[in-house]
Amino acid sequence: MTEQIDEQPQQKENEKWHRLSLVSIIYYLVKIFKQLINNALPSLAPLLIVILNSDNKVLMLVSIVAVLLALLLLTSFLQYWFFRYRLTASEVLINQGVFKKEHRVINFDRVQNININQPFYFKPFKLVSLVIDTAGSSSGEGALAGIGTEQAETIRDTILLSQSQQKSQTTQQDEEPLDITPEQEQPSEVLATAELGDSIRFGLANNSGYFLLALMAPFYKTIQQNIAAWIGEENITAWFDLFSHKAIGIIVMVLLVFVTVIFLVTVVSVVGAILNYHNYRLTLQDKTLKRSSGLLNTHEESLNLQKVQALVRHKNMIARMLGRENLILRQTSSGQSNQQPSKKASQFLVPSRTAQQSLKLIAEIAPNRQEPKQTFGISQRYVLKTWLVNFGLPIVIFSSPFIWFANKPELMFGWGIMLIFLPLIYLRWRKYRYGITSEYGYIQTGLFGYRRVDFPLFKVQRVSISQSLLQKRKGLANLTIYLASGPMTIPYMPISHARQWFDEIYYKIETDQRPWF
Amino acid sequence: MDTFSNTQLDTAELPQVSNIQFVSLHEDYPKVVLISLIIKFLIFLIPINIGIYLIPKLDHHPVMIIAMIVLPLYILFIGHRGAKAKQYALREHDLLFVKGLFWQKTTAVSFNRIQHIDLSHGPLERKYGMASLAFFTAGGSSADLAIPGLPAEDAKNLRSFILQRTGLDTEQSQAEQL
């Protein structure tokens, strides 16, 4: 397929609808299979019953699997067959859908970032999948899975070029030459790489395996029974006989299981991190950041610097022990603010940096940013009020009827237990720091680790100040800053500071002509 | 993030949020809030009351009587006071809005951050010649700033004034032409 396209003259190529490579059937197969595992696994349970109840289990199993596979193959083939795409001077057009036809138009201006991924099954064929993310709805995303590597890079460069041209046009209109970009291509500059050690550290610190544990929770009982059956009852009693006390035997066993599980989960996480971040390279070329990484599946992501809304340095408890932090470049989140911004779309992550490394990186990405001269903590009232509102009052209110009517005074111990949250809130209170410079705002939050957010003031969408009556009396206020990437709140700051931030940010928004997006 | 400009500014000379003259909403707005609250009570409370009446034990319990009479009255009182507390102010480059009795909240939308503006009026609002304006910025899901109970004429003028300031009106008419 791709060979045919290459033979076409350049002009005609743009008017023709292209089809993906035949290999993309594998991509759709994998995609549908993943969806099936994620969403429809319970609905396959009846099939399992059919298999178990049939006379010839093997035959039944084989035939059901064969039918399912055939169905999957057919669907994948149909998806491949009905997928067509076309490039115009300013848009990518995609037609897809087997029963429900979908015509998608992606304007180059709306493109937020472009990723080139290479799943391992595309490697032998020198194919990649080009994923075009747009600002706003997730349905605006377009994936061309199964096009030639060079073609993908051409499309990406075309879109990026058109964006930077658009940008320079608008700046000319405003008669404000904001950046004097030389016409010739700038050499790309390697900003960061991640070695094997960095990937391992990232895997240790950002243990995604715990999610796996949570996912497996419904099956704990079955797993437990299976393991017990596998070990055998005699062996278990023999184990207990090793210890003088049965209780010690149980404790040792629980500890052993716990350590094994943590170990396994950590291994999974580290392996995952190596798969994802192997050979990580972050380069800067002509205001565009590019990252590429991956062992089996290689990902390549591009991001225009102008689209970065905030710089986040994040360090959790384990990362703190390892002396590393992650740098996250936040982009516009798509619509749903109450949902966690999806990792894929709105985060651009540089794993495992030391504090100096990420500061240096920030200096390259955001040259205007300065370290705030002075940072402030928030009022001590935060500790008690947060505890009372979230833990103290609810437990008193919910347990009182039981204590009063059911005469269960022992429930009052629950009040004491709630006290253990007090030190945690205290730690959180200590971590709050904020500072402002003429260009950037800085907010630090955290519990054991920290999350340091630097954001350009002129990219703020809006600000709100809120005060409870008690806060008002004490001259305190909560300040919420809404960025296109999401909101951030500084609680219990002096009202004078809140007003100062409010005034300075609005002054910046209203006088700075640079586009925030 | 492109060019470096860093002129010294005197913080005291910036426009300040603390000395702004705020304007109240339509004079009938508190009344409209009361009426709509009463309608809501009628819709939700009457079925609940009938339900309680049918459960004999709960019928005359003092807690129930308090809950059924005092609570709605309190909500009406708060709603009325809250409606009176809502105020807005128009500045050259932004629109400020204050609300809240126990939790006072000041927020503003800058004209050059507004993505689009919704003007709406329900049947009750229309009867009293009022309209609501909702302003949307990026990164939020619902309306980022909603001002209810504006005199209809003011709302319309405000909307076209802000659209003019943002340049959204030309963009919109261009989009309509396409």
Side-chain angles (χ1 to χ4, degrees), chain A residues 317-374:
Chain A
M317 190 162 58
I318 303 168
R320 189 175 150 183
M321 288 192 267
L322 298 169
R324 293 301 170 108
E325 57 186 22
N326 298 326
L327 178 68
I328 300 157
L329 308 185
R330 282 265 175 78
Q331 302 167 52
T332 311
S333 71
S334 40
Q336 302 117 328
S337 64
N338 42 4
Q339 273 180 8
Q340 280 288 316
S342 70
K343 248 191 244 163
K344 175 176 66 85
S346 50
Q347 287 201 352
F348 197 93
L349 189 140
V350 191
S352 255
R353 302 289 100 188
T354 62
Q356 284 97 334
Q357 276 176 334
S358 53
L359 269 180
K360 211 179 136 221
L361 203 56
I362 287 176
E364 304 245 21
I365 295 168
N368 279 3
R369 180 194 163 270
Q370 291 168 309
E371 206 61 45
K373 282 196 194 81
Q374 210 181 349

Side-chain angles (χ1 to χ4, degrees), chain A residues 165-264:
Chain A
Q165 275 172 354
Q166 177 99 27
K167 205 174 75 183
S168 57
Q169 267 175 15
T170 49
T171 46
Q172 272 165 13
Q173 278 168 7
D174 295 342
E175 287 177 297
E176 276 182 53
L178 287 172
D179 49 345
I180 308 114
T181 324
E183 279 306 305
Q184 78 269 23
E185 217 165 70
Q186 286 185 342
S188 68
E189 183 188 354
V190 178
L191 291 184
T193 56
E195 308 302 323
L196 186 63
D198 296 323
S199 304
I200 293 173
R201 285 193 195 94
F202 180 81
L204 286 174
N206 304 63
N207 204 329
S208 50
Y210 294 125
F211 294 108
L212 195 76
L213 278 188
L215 275 181
M216 274 163 51
F219 308 108
Y220 279 163
K221 201 160 187 190
T222 342
I223 293 169
Q224 191 194 344
Q225 281 165 353
N226 281 331
I227 290 176
W230 178 60
I231 296 171
E233 208 167 311
E234 304 93 63
N235 291 335
I236 293 176
T237 20
W239 164 265
F240 285 136
D241 290 340
L242 278 177
F243 299 92
S244 53
H245 240 282
K246 203 182 171 187
I248 297 173
I250 290 173
I251 289 170
V252 172
M253 194 173 214
V254 165
L255 274 178
L256 219 70
V257 168
F258 182 72
V259 168
T260 319
V261 167
I262 295 286
F263 177 75
L264 283 178

Side-chain angles (χ1 to χ4, degrees), chain A residues 178 438 458 465 467 506 510, chain B residues 3 6 94 104 106 108 113:
Chain A
L178 287 172
S438 61
F458 79 92
I465 298 175
Q467 274 184 304
Y506 275 104
E510 284 152 17
Chain B
T3 37
N6 200 0
D94 50 28
Q104 284 179 345
T106 311
R113 290 288 178 275

Side-chain angles (χ1 to χ4, degrees), chain A residues 178 287 305 308 335 337 366 368 370 438-440 458-469 472 484 499-500 502-504 506-507 509-510 514 516, chain B residues 1-6 9 11 14-18 91 93-94 96 101-110 112-113 115 137-141 144-145:
Chain A
L178 287 172
K287 304 261 171 240
L305 270 190
V308 177
S337 64
N368 279 3
Q370 291 168 309
S438 61
E439 290 283 328
Y440 275 77
F458 79 92
K459 291 201 172 178
V460 173
Q461 296 294 317
R462 67 192 173 94
V463 184
S464 77
I465 298 175
S466 71
Q467 274 184 304
S468 69
L469 286 182
K472 197 171 186 179
R499 288 206 177 114
Q500 184 204 342
F502 190 98
D503 293 338
E504 284 194 24
Y506 275 104
Y507 178 76
I509 294 176
E510 284 152 17
R514 284 175 285 181
W516 62 271
Chain B
M1 277 200 273
D2 299 311
T3 37
F4 188 80
S5 67
N6 200 0
L9 285 172
T11 322
L14 292 181
Q16 280 176 4
V17 63
S18 43
R91 294 199 296 186
H93 296 285
D94 50 28
L96 287 94
L101 288 176
F102 302 115
W103 284 274
Q104 284 179 345
K105 194 171 174 187
T106 311
T107 188
V109 278
S110 194
N112 56 14
R113 290 288 178 275
Q115 304 268 358
T137 61
S141 50
D144 296 305
L145 180 64

Side-chain angles (χ1 to χ4, degrees), chain B residues 59-163:
Chain B
D59 190 11
H60 296 297
H61 200 284
V63 175
M64 275 299 142
I65 293 166
I66 290 170
M68 284 300 142
I69 295 166
V70 177
L71 212 64
L73 281 179
Y74 180 72
I75 291 172
L76 286 180
F77 174 71
I78 293 297
H80 188 258
R81 288 284 303 276
K84 271 188 169 172
K86 283 179 187 168
Q87 289 179 314
Y88 73 96
L90 182 68
R91 294 199 296 186
E92 209 177 323
H93 296 285
D94 50 28
L95 185 73
L96 287 94
F97 185 56
V98 199
K99 66 170 181 184
L101 288 176
F102 302 115
W103 284 274
Q104 284 179 345
K105 194 171 174 187
T106 311
T107 188
V109 278
S110 194
F111 299 155
N112 56 14
R113 290 288 178 275
I114 291 172
Q115 304 268 358
H116 72 273
I117 306 173
D118 275 359
L119 189 139
S120 63
H121 30 208
L124 207 60
E125 279 181 314
R126 222 169 3 215
K127 190 171 177 295
Y128 285 91
M130 284 178 217
S132 306
L133 279 179
F135 301 90
F136 295 82
T137 61
S141 50
S142 54
D144 296 305
L145 180 64
I147 304 183
L150 288 164
E153 203 57 29
D154 289 6
K156 243 184 244 165
N157 292 338
L158 210 56
R159 178 168 177 267
S160 57
F161 171 76
I162 293 170
L163 282 177

